[in-house]
Amino acid sequence: MIAVFGHLNPDTDAISAAMVYARFLSRQGHEAQAYRLGELNFETAFVLRELGLEAPPLLGELPAGSQVALVDHNESAQSVSNLSELNVTHVVDHHKLGDLTTVSPAYLRFEPVGCTGTILLALHREAGLSVELQDATLMLSAILSDTLHFRSPTTTGRDREAVEFLAPIAGIEDVEAYALAMFAAKSDLGDTPAETLLRMDFKVFPFGDPTQPQNWGIGVIETTNPGYVFGRQDELLAAMDQVKADDGLTGVLLSVVDILNETNRALVLGATEAKLLREAFGVEAEGQVADLGNRISRKKQIVPTIEKHFAPEN
Ligand code: MN
Ligand code: MN
């Protein structure tokens, strides 16, 4: 049995890729089951509700040696805690390669595209497998989510083609309207506790000397309603302080990405974070907010710059 799962604090790609790839592996003769490593965000809940699908079960502790397939991530800091004891048999991902090691030869498929969904569609086409409505909707939703409907600089021609191919199968005539409905669902945060908001799309990255890395937590809230998020600024800063202490992090940043205007304004916890933004990005925080301009992609515009800043040769 291969357990298939995406990263901690799952987003729509992490969930839909696990579901689609588990089915793909099953159709290829493997025994595979999709799991999730955390609660669904509001956007993913919307997508599954539209399809009348249940979320995959939460993954419990896996015994050492268990077979796992990773989708939408490969770094141990974003995965199950005992990843190093598990037998990684497959990885399908569109992130930079991290600290992944395997105990036996694994199937690895990495492509620099905007979404795991785009790679999964390619796998179906290469294998000559048909794509059903549910899988089409899951992949299409993930691509719209990861690329912010092609606004993100991570978007490639392949992502656009994939959506064009999938939309008729998914029965989605107006892709723009569907994307806006997804983003509206994602932005409808209600009275969600501040720490939950912070952790919803929160990733930990080790920077600097790999033998003694400093771990930074970088959260993102993608929203069509940034005013709501900044209205809760004090609560969010308190949650960042708490998470920094609880998780033993060197620094914590929270980007508030305005999806429709394509801007990123980050909450800056303190002097450590302000120093990093000044030195790595040349951006000065005002109060506890730093204007990161159009750097809306953590993967392509935030993390690589920080990585370079902390690189050992610097
Ligand atoms: Mn993801
Ligand atoms: Mn992704």
Side-chain angles (χ1 to χ4, degrees):
M1 227 291 286
I2 305 174
V4 186
F5 50 87
H7 51 81
L8 290 165
N9 305 328
D11 54 17
T12 299
D13 192 26
I15 297 293
S16 72
M19 296 170 77
V20 171
Y21 196 46
R23 192 147 37 216
F24 178 87
L25 289 174
S26 304
R27 289 167 81 185
Q28 302 277 59
H30 298 276
E31 239 188 281
Q33 162 78 44
Y35 290 95
R36 63 187 160 91
L37 297 190
E39 294 309 311
L40 300 186
N41 71 29
F42 295 119
E43 179 191 77
T44 314
F46 166 84
V47 170
L48 295 187
R49 201 160 55 234
E50 290 286 297
L51 284 170
L53 287 177
E54 295 282 323
L58 198 59
L59 185 67
E61 184 77 13
L62 286 173
S66 300
Q67 293 194 321
V68 295
L70 310 182
V71 291
D72 197 35
H73 77 299
N74 67 84
E75 300 196 45
S76 60
Q78 294 161 15
S79 200
V80 287
S81 56
N82 66 336
L83 183 65
S84 61
E85 300 166 13
L86 304 178
N87 180 8
V88 178
T89 59
H90 300 75
V91 184
V92 180
D93 192 15
H94 66 124
H95 293 86
K96 74 180 178 72
L97 186 57
D99 58 351
L100 178 75
T101 55
T102 62
V103 293
S104 47
Y107 176 88
L108 303 179
R109 179 74 177 253
F110 286 71
E111 288 196 65
V113 292
C115 180
T116 310
T118 301
I119 308 171
L120 291 175
L121 174 61
L123 292 182
H124 281 81
R125 297 171 85 174
E126 288 162 17
L129 285 177
S130 60
V131 179
E132 311 299 328
L133 179 139
Q134 283 184 352
D135 284 347
T137 309
L138 290 169
M139 288 186 272
L140 174 138
S141 303
I143 298 168
L144 295 175
S145 173
D146 267 9
T147 66
L148 300 175
H149 192 190
F150 311 145
R151 290 173 177 85
S152 170
T154 56
T155 308
T156 68
R158 295 263 310 281
D159 304 303
R160 293 173 190 272
E161 283 165 32
V163 167
E164 245 172 76
F165 179 87
L166 292 167
I169 305 171
I172 295 173
E173 275 171 40
D174 189 341
V175 170
E176 171 77 35
Y178 180 74
L180 286 174
M182 280 175 46
F183 300 150
K186 182 180 224 171
S187 306
D188 188 10
L189 300 172
D191 54 3
T192 308
E195 185 173 336
T196 309
L197 289 185
L198 171 63
R199 288 198 187 268
M200 220 168 241
D201 183 1
F202 189 76
K203 290 184 180 175
V204 172
F205 298 90
F207 292 120
D209 181 354
T211 62
Q212 261 182 317
Q214 45 176 313
N215 291 316
W216 281 68
I218 305 179
V220 179
I221 297 178
E222 292 167 345
T223 177
T224 57
N225 186 7
Y228 168 87
V229 180
F230 285 103
R232 299 187 60 188
Q233 181 172 330
D234 292 346
E235 280 174 79
L236 286 165
L237 284 164
M240 288 162 71
D241 201 28
Q242 187 67 51
V243 164
K244 185 176 178 173
D246 288 350
D247 295 8
L249 301 171
T250 304
V252 173
L253 292 168
L254 178 60
S255 285
V256 183
V257 169
D258 182 332
I259 298 174
L260 301 179
N261 292 305
E262 303 176 36
T263 58
N264 176 358
R265 292 169 74 219
L267 291 183
V268 182
L269 190 54
T272 309
E273 289 83 1
K275 181 169 180 277
L276 172 66
L277 293 179
R278 186 183 312 118
E279 291 178 353
F281 296 93
V283 167
E284 202 63 52
E286 286 183 37
Q288 283 182 286
V289 179
D291 188 348
L292 287 166
N294 64 359
R295 298 174 182 95
I296 59 174
S297 169
R298 172 174 53 197
K299 175 173 26 175
K300 193 161 184 166
Q301 294 166 304
I302 302 295
V303 170
T305 304
I306 302 177
E307 194 142 70
K308 207 169 148 206
H309 173 74
F310 284 127
E313 61 267 27
N314 273 359

